[in-house]
Structure formats: structure tokens, C-alpha cells
Amino acid sequence: MAISDETLKRMIAEFGGFELSEEELALVRPELESYLAEVENIRNLDLSAVMSSRLLRAAEGGDADA
């Protein structure tokens, strides 16, 4: 997923970040693109057979004051 320099600059400004030079943007871009690729990999995971952790409850055992 390619992000233009203009879009990246607007995103940084919107989040209150530092203004970056073209050279600094070139250093940031590979890390950002790597992060976005990993997010896409996570989106493509088949989790249909995984039980939601929100449904699990820990067994309350023992005495916490002991």
C-alpha cells in the first residue's frame, strides 16, 4: 500500500508529530509500509476456529489474602 508524501505529512501533522524532511520521510516509509503489510496479514488470518478470549473466564481459586 503506497502512501504519498503529502498524505504522510498530513497524517503526521494531524497527530501532532514533527515536520519531517523528504530524507526523513524516505527513512520512515519502509517501516510504515512494513507495518501496514503486517496489519494486512493479520486481517487475512482465518480465526473462525479460535474461541474468543472474551468468552473465557479464569477459575477463581485459592485465597488471595493468604
Side-chain angles (χ1 to χ4, degrees):
M1 171 184 226
I3 299 176
S4 70
D5 284 349
E6 294 77 27
T7 301
L8 191 51
K9 288 178 182 179
R10 279 183 279 159
M11 289 169 55
I12 292 169
E14 196 167 309
F15 283 100
F18 297 107
E19 196 170 311
L20 300 179
S21 68
E22 300 298 322
E23 294 80 21
E24 291 168 323
L25 286 175
L27 292 172
V28 169
R29 182 174 311 288
E31 293 300 321
L32 179 61
E33 289 175 351
S34 172
Y35 174 80
L36 292 174
E38 289 304 316
V39 168
E40 198 58 37
N41 287 340
I42 291 171
R43 283 188 183 148
N44 293 329
L45 288 176
D46 178 14
L47 301 176
S48 60
V50 177
M51 181 183 286
S52 171
S53 63
R54 292 183 290 175
L55 300 176
L56 301 176
R57 301 217 185 250
E60 300 282 336
D63 186 9
D65 295 326

